[in-house]
Amino acid sequence: PLISDLISDSLRTTALGAAMKGAGLAVRFLPIPQPTILVGPGSSGRLGKTIAGFGHGKILIVTDSIISKLGLLDDLTDALTAGGAEYVVFDAITPDAPIPLIEAGIDFYLENACDAIVAFGGGSSMDASKAIAAAVSNPGKSLRELAGYFKGLQTPVKIYAVPTTAGTGSEVTVAAVISDPERQAKLVIVDTRLVPKMAALDPCLMTGLPPHITAATGIDALTHAIESFVGKWANPYTDDMALSAVGLIFDNLRVAYSDGKNLAARESMALAATYAGLAFTRANVGYVHAIAHQFGGKYHTPHGLANAIMLPLVLKYSLPAVTDRLALLAVRAKLGRESEGEDVLAQKFLDAVEQLNRDLGIPTFLAALKASDIPQLAEAACREAHTGYPVPRYMTQAVCEDIIRQVLPPDAAAAKKPARRRKRTD
């Protein structure tokens, strides 16, 4: 790229960062709508029956091809049909849905004269649905122009949500994260009007999730809960949601991982992800997410996996500033008693997070990470965190680089170690 382009991008990022920090602070105090939540086996069908009664002309269902082929849509679509509601299915969503794919979804929505959206799937389907909803209501703005806080003048079309993973909490959040492949970056669209109107937490849709996806999405939810709890924007409401989420995750994630058909564990994890979503959509996140977003933009690392890899390392760095908060999390996770003291409890929580990762097969390194990329990744992560997140303990870029360097794959990490000097014998 030309030097002028780099300068322009830098100035734009700085300006956007300043705007995001101010707007993000505003989100902390603005009223955020909460969707009606239907919970339990068969709730996706109950949601379809309810939506059918709302009188929409035609509903766009946004999902991926695997969900469509497995028949997971059937309860919802059967209920829509029985209620006389018309619908079309856009099932082309891929992980980290990129801008061109979302633009195809926008065209599909318009070609079929839809007037509402059902987001059905994991985080990518949820985020793509929100981006489509914002874009079709604001035709004068591109997706890049909608990135940031409250960039759409018109209210997004109505969204309903059926999550099939227990991680993102996107069914209750104000944000959509999409991929910009040209810039190898993630774009975040934030608007309180993006919160779905209703959502169904149907554990029957989650029983077929592979263990590795159960693990990554579960730690994603845990990260949301922890970062919202230790950040500087936490309040009594977000604390309640975060603590509930952490308790449910420590009680149920291992069960859901090892026994995917366990409906009780799946339902509890779905609730945990929703509670964590309610917490972080108000209290925001921190460095774990800031770094994970860079991994996703650069290497297309699944977001939950990136969070899981970085969570223990960021918590260790943050420990001096959040010892009391980690102690409270340890008690809620049933790792110890209040009488043991904050230092002991906080360390128990850190150890328990590392053990949970091990039990779930989470790697301790990022296979795609290259040492030469680390300065750029750290710079972008710090810029994101320092302009938008209420982190409890600030990092310099050098500190951030050191933390990221700890997740280099073994071969790359060994190559970076300086050779030992041989002792002279003469």
Side-chain angles (χ1 to χ4, degrees), residues 41 203 207 248 252 255-256 261-271:
T207 56
L248 286 169
N252 293 280
V255 177
K261 302 295 183 184
N262 189 310
L263 286 177
R266 290 294 190 185
E267 184 173 310
S268 292
M269 284 304 302
L271 284 168

Side-chain angles (χ1 to χ4, degrees), residues 144-273:
R144 289 190 181 93
E145 290 170 332
L146 287 169
Y149 285 74
F150 307 104
K151 293 300 184 70
L153 180 62
Q154 302 301 321
T155 300
V157 300
K158 284 187 178 179
I159 308 169
Y160 306 94
V162 184
T164 59
T165 63
T168 68
S170 191
E171 65 275 6
V172 293
T173 68
V174 301
V177 182
I178 61 176
S179 178
D180 185 345
E182 288 185 15
R183 301 177 183 178
Q184 293 186 319
K186 293 291 187 76
L187 300 180
V188 184
I189 301 171
V190 181
D191 192 316
T192 55
R193 298 169 296 177
L194 286 174
V195 177
K197 305 304 177 186
M198 296 185 71
L201 307 182
D202 191 338
C204 295
L205 302 174
M206 304 178 186
T207 56
L209 282 176
H212 73 280
I213 295 179
T214 299
T217 54
I219 301 297
D220 188 20
L222 181 64
T223 305
H224 293 155
I226 293 172
E227 292 206 300
S228 65
F229 190 76
V230 303
K232 293 182 178 180
W233 290 356
N235 62 51
Y237 171 76
T238 62
D239 282 356
D240 286 345
M241 293 296 103
L243 287 166
S244 295
V246 168
L248 286 169
I249 291 167
F250 271 91
D251 283 345
N252 293 280
L253 181 51
R254 287 183 177 90
V255 177
Y257 175 78
S258 60
D259 179 12
K261 302 295 183 184
N262 189 310
L263 286 177
R266 290 294 190 185
E267 184 173 310
S268 292
M269 284 304 302
L271 284 168

